[in-house]
Amino acid sequence: METDNTKKFNELFCELEHCNEDEQRKKIGEMNEIIDGMNEEEHKSVFTTRMFNKIDKMIVEKKMSMENAILLLNHVGYCNVLKNVWNLFFEKSSLSRRFKKMIVEEDKKEEKNEKLLVDLCECYLLFYIEFPSLDLILTCVPCLLKATLKKEENDETQKEVEIALLALSRINRHYFLRQELYLKEITEIIEHQQKHRNLSQLAYQSTWKFFIYRYFNDYFLKGNIMNKLHFGREAARELEELIKCVDWNRKNGEEGGKEAKEELILLRCLQTIVVYFCICKLENEENEGLIKSIVKVLRAVKDNRRDISDQCISSLRNAAENRVVKVEYLLKGGAVEAVLEGMQRPTLNECLRFDCLQFFMNVSERLNEKVDNKTEEEERKATKRKIIDKMEEEGYEDTITSFHKTLKIFN
C-alpha cells in the first residue's frame, strides 16, 4: 500500500534522471529527509532490487554521478542500520556487484581515490546481510578505521566519522581479525572520546559494538575491554545520558522526532551490553554501576517499548548466568525487584518470561552458595524467599517444583 512518504519519494526518484547534477543533489536532499520518516514497511516497499538496479543503470548511462548515488545510498543504509531494517534486495542487485568490483579494483591502485574507497566500503557494509568475503572485509576495515581517526570538530567531519563507525559495527562476530589490523586505532578512538567527548552517541556506541564483537574470536581482549578502556563504566554513563533524552510516555510506534532516534541508539547500546555480558567472563567492580543503569532503564520504559524491556532483561539474565557480575551487585542494583516487576507487565511474552525465569534460577542458585558472614547468609535466605513468594503469586508453582527437583537451588 502506497503511503504519502513512498509516493513522494518515488516521484522525486523518477525526476532524478532528468535533472542536472546540482538539481539532482537538491532532490536527493529532499529524498533523504523523507527516508528519515519512513517505517520498516515503507523502506522495504521502496528500496527493492528493481530500484537498486535502476540506480546502477543510471550510473552506467551517466544520468547519475557516483557521488550523488552514494549520497542517497549511504543515507538509506544509515537509516536501515539505525532502525534495524533488514533489506535483502541490495545484495541481489547489479549495483551490489558493481560496488564489490569497484572496491577490489580501487584498493589495487597505487594511487587510490581514498574518499571513493571509503564511500564504497561504507555503502556496501551498511547494506550487507549475508557474509561478504573475508578479503573484502580486510580491505574495508583499515580503510574505514583511517577515516574515523579524523579529529576535526565540525559537523560534516563528525558525520563522516559516525557513518564509518556505524559501517564497521556491522562486521559481526563471524570474522576473525588480527589485532594489528584494528586494536591500536580502536583504542585510540575510545581513549580520545573519553578525554574529549567529541563523538556522537551513535558513533561511540558503534565503536564499542565493533570492539565487543572481536572478543568472540579473540579472548585476549578482555583486559582491554574491561580494565583498560572501562566498558562497564562507559556503558553505564551512556545509558544514563540516553535515559534523559527519551520521552518515556511515548507509546511504541508513535511519532517522536529526536526522541525516537535516541530510543534506537539506546536499544543498540543495550544490544551491545547483552553481548558483553554473554562473552566477557571477567568480573569488574564497574559492572555494579552498569547493573543499576540497566535497572533504571527497565523501570523507566514500563510497557511502552517491549524491545527495550527485552534487551534489559536479557542483559540481566546473561550477567547472572555467566557470573560476570557478583550476585551482590545484582541485589544492590535492584535487578531482582525490577525483573519481578517485569513479570507482571501485560507486554510479557513467552521469550521474555523464559528470560525472567532463567534470571531467577541463576540468581537463586548463586544465593545458595555458602558464605561465611551469618548476616549475609540470612539476607540471602530472605531474598530467596521473596523470589519464591513472588513466583508463586504469579502462578509459577510448577516451575518452582521443577527447580527443587532438578537443581535443588531453593533449599
Side-chain angles (χ1 to χ4, degrees):
M1 181 178 176
E2 192 172 48
T3 66
D4 289 342
N5 279 334
T6 58
K7 181 179 179 181
K8 182 61 177 174
F9 183 91
N10 287 329
E11 287 173 353
L12 288 168
F13 182 75
C14 291
E15 294 170 5
L16 289 181
E17 60 182 322
H18 306 295
C19 302
N20 62 40
E21 189 164 351
D22 289 339
E23 291 172 338
Q24 200 175 78
R25 194 174 186 86
K26 183 179 178 181
K27 287 187 183 295
I28 289 173
E30 294 177 46
M31 292 163 70
N32 285 345
E33 289 181 8
I34 296 172
I35 293 168
D36 289 335
M38 285 184 179
N39 59 33
E40 182 173 353
E41 291 306 312
E42 289 172 328
H43 269 267
K44 290 180 178 179
S45 70
V46 168
F47 302 109
T48 61
T49 302
R50 183 171 177 269
M51 174 168 281
F52 291 126
N53 286 340
K54 176 65 174 177
I55 293 172
D56 185 43
K57 184 179 179 181
M58 289 169 67
I59 292 171
V60 172
E61 295 177 350
K62 301 189 183 305
K63 293 180 178 178
M64 178 183 281
S65 67
M66 181 60 69
E67 183 180 359
N68 280 355
I70 287 172
L71 179 65
L72 173 61
L73 292 165
N74 265 6
H75 193 74
V76 177
Y78 174 91
C79 289
N80 278 353
V81 176
L82 182 60
K83 298 179 182 182
N84 200 29
V85 175
W86 290 69
N87 187 310
L88 300 172
F89 300 115
F90 178 77
E91 290 187 19
K92 300 174 183 177
S93 69
S94 59
L95 187 62
S96 172
R97 294 190 291 274
R98 176 178 300 280
F99 276 21
K100 283 189 281 189
K101 182 180 179 182
M102 289 180 68
I103 289 170
V104 173
E105 291 177 349
E106 194 63 40
D107 186 56
K108 288 179 180 179
K109 294 179 181 177
E110 289 188 14
E111 295 186 8
K112 300 178 179 62
N113 183 334
E114 298 287 353
K115 186 180 185 313
L116 175 61
L117 188 56
V118 167
D119 287 339
L120 291 169
C121 290
E122 287 174 349
C123 195
Y124 187 76
L125 290 181
L126 289 172
F127 273 103
Y128 92 88
I129 300 296
E130 298 178 358
F131 306 129
S133 69
L134 180 59
D135 287 342
L136 199 62
I137 293 293
L138 294 178
T139 298
C140 290
V141 170
C143 172
L144 294 180
L145 281 173
K146 185 177 179 181
T148 65
L149 295 175
K150 298 176 181 178
K151 300 297 191 297
E152 294 88 347
E153 298 290 342
N154 63 76
D155 291 343
E156 183 178 352
T157 299
Q158 287 308 304
K159 187 66 175 180
E160 292 173 3
V161 170
E162 182 180 78
I163 293 176
L165 287 168
L166 189 65
L168 282 169
S169 74
R170 298 272 292 149
I171 302 174
N172 60 37
R173 64 183 184 175
H174 298 284
Y175 292 96
F176 171 74
L177 304 177
R178 301 185 314 276
Q179 287 188 11
E180 56 265 29
L181 190 67
Y182 68 88
L183 185 57
K184 178 178 179 294
E185 291 83 355
I186 286 294
T187 301
E188 182 180 337
I189 292 167
I190 292 174
E191 289 180 335
H192 190 270
Q193 169 67 2
Q194 291 174 352
K195 185 176 181 180
H196 300 284
R197 302 296 175 193
N198 63 315
L199 292 178
S200 69
Q201 290 170 315
L202 178 59
Y204 194 37
Q205 182 275 324
S206 297
T207 307
W208 275 116
K209 187 174 183 180
F210 170 83
F211 200 12
I212 293 290
Y213 270 152
R214 307 285 68 78
Y215 189 90
F216 273 101
N217 296 307
D218 194 343
Y219 300 118
F220 295 105
L221 293 174
K222 63 184 179 183
N224 296 81
I225 290 172
M226 301 183 73
N227 298 326
K228 182 179 180 181
L229 299 176
H230 307 284
F231 176 80
R233 181 195 70 194
E234 291 296 292
R237 189 187 63 80
E238 290 296 304
L239 287 181
E240 293 289 339
E241 287 191 6
L242 287 163
I243 288 170
K244 299 172 187 176
C245 300
V246 174
D247 176 7
W248 293 108
N249 294 316
R250 189 179 70 84
K251 298 293 183 182
N252 191 24
E254 288 180 355
E255 294 298 325
K258 182 181 179 183
E259 289 79 14
K261 180 178 180 181
E262 301 301 333
E263 288 174 25
L264 294 168
I265 297 171
L266 174 62
L267 182 61
R268 284 174 56 83
C269 186
L270 287 166
Q271 289 167 342
T272 304
I273 292 169
V274 170
V275 176
Y276 164 73
F277 280 141
C278 177
I279 62 175
C280 294
K281 309 294 184 182
L282 190 66
E283 284 191 354
N284 189 296
E285 291 182 359
E286 293 175 357
N287 288 332
E288 181 177 5
L290 180 53
I291 292 296
K292 290 179 179 178
S293 296
I294 295 168
V295 168
K296 190 180 291 187
V297 174
L298 183 56
R299 285 184 164 146
V301 70
K302 298 179 181 176
D303 295 316
N304 291 350
R305 287 296 300 263
R306 200 183 78 187
D307 48 358
I308 292 177
S309 294
D310 288 358
Q311 294 302 316
C312 288
I313 291 176
S314 292
S315 63
L316 295 174
R317 181 207 65 198
N318 284 348
E321 182 176 348
N322 295 300
R323 299 171 182 262
V324 170
V325 176
K326 292 180 180 179
V327 70
E328 287 76 18
Y329 294 170
L330 293 168
L331 300 178
K332 292 177 183 177
V336 171
E337 291 82 359
V339 177
L340 286 171
E341 292 166 10
M343 291 184 70
Q344 302 174 54
R345 292 177 180 168
T347 56
L348 193 72
N349 58 17
E350 287 303 316
C351 184
L352 193 56
R353 183 177 288 109
F354 174 82
D355 280 351
C356 290
L357 294 173
Q358 192 75 27
F359 170 82
F360 293 138
M361 184 181 73
N362 290 316
V363 169
S364 298
E365 183 180 15
R366 294 176 67 182
L367 287 171
N368 212 43
E369 296 170 351
K370 296 294 183 182
V371 292
D372 296 331
N373 189 303
K374 287 187 177 181
T375 302
E376 185 179 338
E377 184 176 354
E378 290 302 315
E379 289 176 353
R380 287 189 170 197
K381 285 181 179 179
T383 301
K384 284 194 291 182
R385 186 70 254 167
K386 182 178 179 180
I387 293 173
I388 295 170
D389 290 345
K390 177 55 70 174
M391 291 177 72
E392 288 178 341
E393 182 182 322
E394 294 299 319
Y396 294 113
E397 294 92 340
D398 291 343
T399 302
I400 296 169
T401 302
S402 176
F403 285 169
H404 271 296
K405 290 180 179 179
T406 59
L407 297 173
K408 299 180 180 180
I409 59 177
F410 289 108
N411 297 338

